[in-house]
Amino acid sequence: MKINIYYGGRGLLDDPTLYVVNKMQEVLTELRVEVERYNIYEHKNSITTLPQTIKDADGIILAATVEWLGIGGYMQQFLDACWLYGDKEKIAQTYMQPIVMSTTCGEREGELTLSNAWEILGGLPCSGLRGYVDDLAAFEMNHDYTLIIEKKAENLYRTISKKTKSLPSSSQAVTRTVLRTQQLELTPQESEQLSKYVADDVYVKKQKEDIEELASMFKNMLGQANVDDEAAYIGELEAHFVPQEDFAATYLFMIDGKKKPLTVQVNGEELNCFYGQNGTIDVYTKLTMDVMNSIVKGRMTFQRAFMTGEMTAKGNFKTLRMLDRIFIFES
């Protein structure tokens, strides 16, 4: 059995949550449980990749400290990353025990926040631990408090080992019917790879620069009515077009070296390709002629070009992924 602990505090010496977490880790280790600890503040530049560490855990502990209001920014960022980039299938099988200690007030609300968040993610929340600590020394010396903490660790062990079931909750129903990350309909593997790119500051900066460059180019093109008589890539796209029933979208390819962008309009079995811009665009892309040549020759797919950063894109991710279904190039 393996349990991961995610500590969302600031790592201060007088943080009561650290004492609770250390005590629970001791108990779990005595029960021969493999325990791995993640101090989120130490991973603040790569929080988006932390949800991938849940994959090899049977259960997790989310530990936070209420210093003035709520569970704190680090824990909130981690939960956001779980929602955007986490493997929902794995989360649905993972037990979570919330631990919230307070030096002011609001520990009850903090524990409820963590439990609700994990339920909405589709996970399995367990009975948590919360408390208010005014004097840390007195808290650590209190034998009764220590027994309570140890008992909670033992309960978590039993819950996971017995795979305790619980009744369905309304939060899970809301997740299925209302709360969906429509803008990122990716597979778990694509989400994991995308989370690594998001955590890369250099990559994110380059993406922003590319988007700004695209926006500047589009502004310069507004009002231009001259017809571009180039036909590069149009023949290849028409020859390898595979119609998709009830699918309609408009793509715009900004290819380096071309005066005007290549617009591709798809509407069921109809395909219209031309150089220029007309109407609403669903997906904007930017790539070099070498990358475009590799795609039409079947050496690379649109999705691979996007995931490796050789093609930048802005718009609906699901529509972007359809490119490899409506245009099938074979080497």
Side-chain angles (χ1 to χ4, degrees), residues 58-314:
D58 300 295
I60 67 171
I61 294 175
L62 297 183
T65 304
V66 179
E67 295 181 352
W68 73 283
L69 179 66
I71 58 176
Y74 291 136
M75 182 59 72
Q76 186 64 57
Q77 289 182 57
F78 173 71
L79 292 172
D80 287 344
C82 289
W83 175 252
L84 292 173
Y85 312 112
D87 186 343
K88 300 299 193 302
E89 294 181 1
K90 172 56 184 173
I91 290 176
Q93 304 170 7
T94 305
Y95 291 89
M96 186 281 295
Q97 183 178 63
I99 296 177
V100 179
M101 306 303 294
S102 171
T103 58
T104 170
C105 63
E107 67 280 358
R108 182 187 299 273
E109 292 78 6
E111 181 194 13
L112 185 60
T113 296
L114 293 179
S115 295
N116 287 342
W118 198 249
E119 275 192 337
I120 292 175
L121 286 168
L124 305 170
C126 306
S127 175
L129 179 66
R130 65 175 184 268
Y132 165 74
V133 178
D134 182 30
D135 186 341
L136 181 59
F139 179 76
E140 293 179 356
M141 295 298 294
N142 191 304
H143 180 67
D144 293 334
Y145 295 162
T146 301
L147 290 178
I148 293 174
I149 297 171
E150 293 175 348
K151 183 65 68 175
K152 283 293 182 180
E154 294 170 358
N155 289 342
L156 176 62
Y157 172 79
R158 282 193 290 268
T159 298
I160 297 176
S161 61
K162 295 181 179 180
K163 298 187 181 300
T164 303
K165 302 295 183 181
S166 60
L167 294 174
S169 69
S170 59
S171 297
Q172 294 172 344
V174 170
T175 303
R176 289 192 297 268
T177 58
V178 179
L179 298 176
R180 298 190 181 97
T181 51
Q182 297 179 355
Q183 72 277 16
L184 287 173
E185 295 184 12
L186 306 175
T187 64
Q189 293 77 16
E190 291 171 341
S191 295
E192 180 176 355
Q193 190 170 6
L194 184 58
S195 70
K196 294 178 181 178
Y197 286 132
V198 173
D200 187 342
D201 292 338
V202 176
Y203 177 82
V204 172
K205 182 179 179 180
K206 182 66 167 58
Q207 290 288 298
K208 291 181 178 179
E209 292 175 351
D210 289 340
I211 292 174
E212 291 176 358
E213 184 178 351
L214 278 172
S216 177
M217 289 180 178
F218 296 148
K219 289 179 181 178
N220 294 333
M221 292 173 187
L222 291 177
Q224 294 183 4
N226 297 327
V227 178
D228 194 335
D229 58 359
E230 295 184 56
Y233 307 119
I234 293 179
E236 289 87 343
L237 292 172
E238 292 176 345
H240 295 84
F241 176 59
V242 180
Q244 301 292 320
E245 186 177 356
D246 297 329
F247 176 75
T250 301
Y251 303 87
L252 187 143
F253 296 89
M254 176 58 65
I255 305 172
D256 287 351
K258 298 294 182 183
K259 296 180 180 179
K260 291 186 178 182
L262 173 59
T263 298
V264 177
Q265 297 175 336
V266 180
N267 187 5
E269 296 183 357
E270 298 179 4
L271 174 66
N272 183 25
C273 303
F274 60 92
Y275 279 91
Q277 183 176 356
N278 183 23
T280 302
I281 306 298
D282 298 303
V283 176
Y284 295 90
T285 68
K286 179 186 177 185
L287 67 168
T288 64
M289 294 180 65
D290 290 338
V291 175
M292 190 65 177
N293 290 334
S294 296
I295 293 174
V296 298
K297 292 179 180 179
R299 296 196 296 264
M300 179 183 293
T301 64
F302 288 101
Q303 184 69 12
R304 180 184 172 191
F306 171 70
M307 298 303 292
T308 57
E310 295 183 81
M311 179 181 76
T312 57
K314 180 180 179 182

